Amino acid sequence: MGKLPNKILFILGVFLAAAFSLAPFLWFVSAAFKDQTQITAIPPEWLPSFSVEAFSSTVTQHGIFHYLWNSVIVAGGATLVTIILGALAGYALARLSRGWAQITLMGILACAMFPQIAIVGPVWRFLKFMGWLNTYQGLILPYVALTLPLAIWILAVFFREMPEELESAALVDGCTRLGSLVRVIIPLSAPGLFTAAILTFIYAWNEFFLALLIMTDPARQTMPVGIALFQGEHTIPWGEIAAASLITTAPLIFMVLLFQRRIVTGLSAGAIKG
Amino acid sequence: MIRKDQHLYLALLLPAIIVLLLFIAAPIINSFFLSFHRIIIGLPQLKTPFVALDNYLQLLKDPIARHSFFITIIFVALTTFFELLIGLFLALLIHHRFPGRGALRACVLIPWAIPTVVSAQMWRYLFNDAYGVINYMIFGANTNSYIPWLALPTTALSSIIVADIWKTSSFAALLILAGLQVIPEELYQAAKVDGAIVWQRFRHITWPLIRPALLIALLFRTIDAFRVFDLAFVMTQGGPADATNVLQLYGYKKMFVEGWMGYGSAVSVCIFIIVLVIAVAYVKMVGRRLLEANV
């Protein structure tokens, strides 16, 4: 970045990138703080009047907290189960002999590549057969299956880097193998577990396709389904949609701001040696 | 040394394997099976007769299916190309050390982090035909010339492509960034000493060394772009006149709206095979090397 023109170009690029990423979203969520006349105004009114009408109506008329609660249970449940199963499997793969670990990981990785449409028909029939349509476990279990491959991958890589001596020491002190996993390896792997948990949570929180098929009862629908099927009486209720979108997105933005470094390494671990 | 206890490892793997078998492997095999039968949801009295390749023959003859395939290919090609281009641009910016780098990285991650459904509603609002800000930016206050972007076949598909590019360029950027970070800084120092200008350094150092990362991003994005559903469902419901009726939406409608489970399964098997071919290419090109490097 020696010469001045280069520097100016670089700064311009940074502003362009920030505007590209943020401007459309900021404009959309500003509608949450506008009233209907402001939303449909031409020329557009850049500054919202900061009315809270849209927020109160999403809560009182559209029962947004209900959807939010379903999302919390489904995404939270899926994250918990994925991390437990992923940690067990990841540990086994990290300590298994090389050949078997590679073949198993390849198989698990392959599961993550397949399009959801290829599994939904049979999954839907299976859930119907079990009476699990419109139940939390009916959505949590497919989410666990879809998020496990990346979680196992991240955790297996993480556990590999744990020296075996730590475990040997615990075994000498009288721990069982499982005991040393739970008391020594897992606590030391908190960063890896946390990364896998964040990515799993974001996936489950945002997923729409399966949620749409499995949760047909509005009482069980998650936020993305609620937002996609948002109905107004006469016009499209942009204020309410934007308010609901902001409520759904707020926890994610919070996570991105706090844990961006982890998210970046976790995502690229799935593709390139991190 | 700790003992290699194979039984213990198998027991630890088992719960994850069972979930994956039950909800991914078995359903895929079952989809193949269902695609050879006539199954109509809501009419169980018709039973589920074996119809051999009937569903596939019908699929080949259906002009809507052919059109669906065609527009999905256009969608995949255009989104992947622009996502890699913008992703490369974003990755090069974030790779630089400068004050505010963390802030920029957080900004870039926002489109990736928000639900696709939210970004779909967002673009529906921006593309609105009466008061959308995109119309305003192009035509000003002259509302007569405003374009109903989502109601015309060509612009509807373009709108969804734009929405997807906005949403996933950051993911491509992250994959490319990981590739940039393994390039040793000394190479640039040496090039600088030799008097290479910015463009020459990019052309002769960065470009050849990030090509593997670009390839990975390309294949990841291609596979993922075939699954487009949320954007089309929310923004256009596949319309107007099937202009945005992408493959997964077509399969969904056949299976769950019209209730043709057997025929819909044939559609999903076809999508599966397309993605499988790409995935195999991916694993062949980079998978083995990654596994050896990682585990």
Side-chain angles (χ1 to χ4, degrees):
Chain A
M1 289 290 94
K3 280 169 283 172
L4 198 63
N6 280 348
K7 208 162 205 167
I8 291 171
L9 271 179
F10 180 73
I11 293 168
L12 206 68
V14 169
F15 274 102
L16 203 67
F20 168 82
S21 307
L22 283 189
F25 185 64
L26 287 179
W27 176 248
F28 175 54
V29 293
S30 78
F33 302 99
K34 293 175 177 174
D35 53 41
Q36 194 62 25
T37 48
Q38 261 198 315
I39 285 169
T40 56
I42 283 289
E45 298 202 8
W46 303 104
L47 274 180
S49 60
F50 289 102
S51 93
V52 288
E53 201 184 314
F55 280 96
S56 65
S57 134
T58 42
V59 173
T60 55
Q61 285 179 35
H62 298 274
I64 213 70
F65 284 141
H66 197 76
Y67 293 95
L68 203 62
W69 177 240
N70 291 336
S71 271
V72 168
I73 293 181
V74 169
T79 307
L80 192 70
V81 179
T82 295
I83 292 307
I84 293 172
L85 299 192
L88 297 179
Y91 172 76
L93 287 173
R95 295 284 182 261
L96 204 59
S97 57
R98 238 180 145 74
W100 282 107
Q102 274 191 26
I103 293 168
T104 318
L105 258 180
M106 290 270 251
I108 289 170
L109 191 68
C111 286
M113 298 261 177
F114 298 142
Q116 292 168 353
I117 186 86
I119 61 165
V120 288
V123 164
W124 186 85
R125 280 163 60 103
F126 174 70
L127 294 175
K128 189 177 160 74
F129 171 76
M130 299 292 288
W132 285 356
L133 291 173
N134 290 310
T135 65
Y136 291 128
Q137 71 269 29
L139 193 54
I140 288 175
L141 284 171
Y143 283 180
V144 169
L146 288 165
T147 52
L148 258 179
L150 182 63
I152 292 177
W153 183 276
I154 290 173
L155 291 172
V157 172
F158 207 91
F159 289 143
R160 268 262 145 164
E161 283 161 18
M162 294 269 145
E164 292 189 358
E165 289 74 35
L166 284 171
E167 275 174 89
S168 325
L171 291 180
V172 170
D173 290 346
C175 261
T176 58
R177 283 302 296 275
L178 265 182
S180 72
L181 171 63
V182 173
R183 295 211 190 111
V184 180
I185 300 294
I186 300 264
L188 285 171
S189 310
L193 292 166
F194 196 60
T195 304
I198 294 171
L199 293 177
T200 304
F201 184 85
I202 293 179
Y203 177 90
W205 185 261
N206 291 354
E207 207 283 335
F208 172 64
F209 184 55
L210 286 168
L212 176 74
L213 298 174
I214 295 170
M215 302 301 210
T216 46
D217 175 7
R220 287 298 167 100
Q221 280 169 351
T222 53
M223 279 300 267
V225 181
I227 288 171
L229 305 179
F230 223 105
Q231 292 293 328
E233 274 175 52
H234 309 291
T235 52
I236 308 172
W238 286 119
E240 279 94 332
I241 295 177
S245 297
L246 190 57
I247 294 171
T248 315
T249 316
L252 302 174
I253 292 176
F254 208 62
M255 282 184 178
V256 164
L257 292 179
L258 285 178
F259 312 121
Q260 45 161 316
R261 208 177 287 272
R262 275 190 203 300
I263 292 173
V264 171
T265 43
L267 277 179
S268 43
I272 301 170
K273 187 175 157 54
Chain B
M1 264 312 280
I2 53 169
R3 200 159 48 88
K4 296 280 174 203
D5 186 345
Q6 305 288 350
H7 292 287
L8 175 75
Y9 298 145
L10 197 65
L12 293 178
L13 271 171
L14 210 57
I17 302 271
I18 288 174
V19 173
L20 290 175
L21 281 180
L22 211 54
F23 286 95
I24 294 185
I28 285 173
I29 294 163
N30 195 225
S31 278
F32 275 89
F33 177 78
L34 296 180
S35 72
F36 299 117
H37 293 75
R38 179 172 298 120
I39 304 162
I40 301 166
I41 303 176
L43 293 174
Q45 64 271 28
L46 293 181
K47 301 281 193 282
T48 55
F50 178 76
V51 294
L53 291 172
D54 265 18
N55 288 324
Y56 289 94
L57 294 175
Q58 208 184 328
L59 177 61
L60 282 175
K61 273 186 269 174
D62 184 0
I64 299 175
R66 277 207 298 266
H67 179 69
S68 248
F69 178 73
F70 179 64
I71 57 162
T72 306
I73 296 290
I74 293 178
F75 177 89
V76 170
L78 287 178
T79 54
T80 311
F81 175 76
F82 283 108
E83 280 160 20
L84 287 190
L85 199 68
I86 296 173
L88 179 61
F89 167 71
L90 296 174
L92 286 172
L93 285 177
I94 298 174
H95 186 54
H96 263 288
R97 278 191 194 82
F98 67 97
R101 181 192 188 196
L104 179 66
R105 189 169 50 193
C107 288
V108 167
L109 274 176
I110 298 275
W112 168 81
I114 71 173
T116 312
V117 170
V118 166
S119 71
Q121 291 285 24
M122 178 188 98
W123 285 103
R124 200 155 77 100
Y125 176 61
L126 298 180
F127 278 119
N128 188 286
D129 57 346
Y131 42 82
V133 72
I134 290 174
N135 268 323
Y136 179 77
M137 291 200 318
I138 299 174
F139 303 106
N142 179 16
T143 48
N144 288 328
S145 43
Y146 277 19
I147 295 173
W149 299 98
L150 300 177
L152 301 172
T154 47
T155 54
L157 185 60
S158 321
S159 305
I160 286 176
I161 289 172
V162 168
D164 194 71
I165 292 170
W166 181 78
K167 176 85 176 72
T168 24
S169 288
S170 43
F171 182 69
L174 293 186
L175 296 186
I176 297 169
L177 184 65
L180 282 174
Q181 278 162 350
V182 296
I183 301 177
E185 190 60 34
E186 295 79 46
L187 282 178
Y188 291 105
Q189 303 294 347
K192 261 188 196 170
V193 171
D194 289 344
I197 58 165
V198 174
W199 167 248
Q200 287 171 326
R201 272 177 271 156
F202 176 79
R203 175 72 189 78
H204 295 288
I205 301 174
T206 315
W207 181 249
L209 287 173
I210 52 159
R211 266 170 50 196
L214 274 175
L215 196 69
I216 290 166
L218 173 73
L219 284 153
F220 259 99
R221 283 308 312 143
T222 317
I223 290 168
D224 202 43
F226 269 103
R227 304 176 196 171
V228 56
F229 175 84
D230 306 12
L231 288 173
F233 183 92
V234 173
M235 288 172 72
T236 56
Q237 291 85 46
D242 289 318
T244 55
N245 200 7
V246 285
L247 275 176
Q248 185 155 332
L249 188 57
Y250 174 78
Y252 159 80
K253 283 180 179 168
K254 287 291 168 194
M255 240 189 270
F256 292 100
V257 180
E258 296 171 32
W260 296 85
M261 186 59 87
Y263 182 76
S265 296
V267 176
S268 62
V269 165
C270 288
I271 302 176
F272 168 72
I273 289 171
I274 295 170
V275 173
L276 183 70
V277 169
I278 299 170
V280 166
Y282 166 71
V283 171
K284 271 215 149 119
M285 271 191 260
V286 286
R288 195 173 300 274
R289 208 192 61 215
L290 287 175
L291 281 170
E292 277 155 11
N294 262 330
V295 179

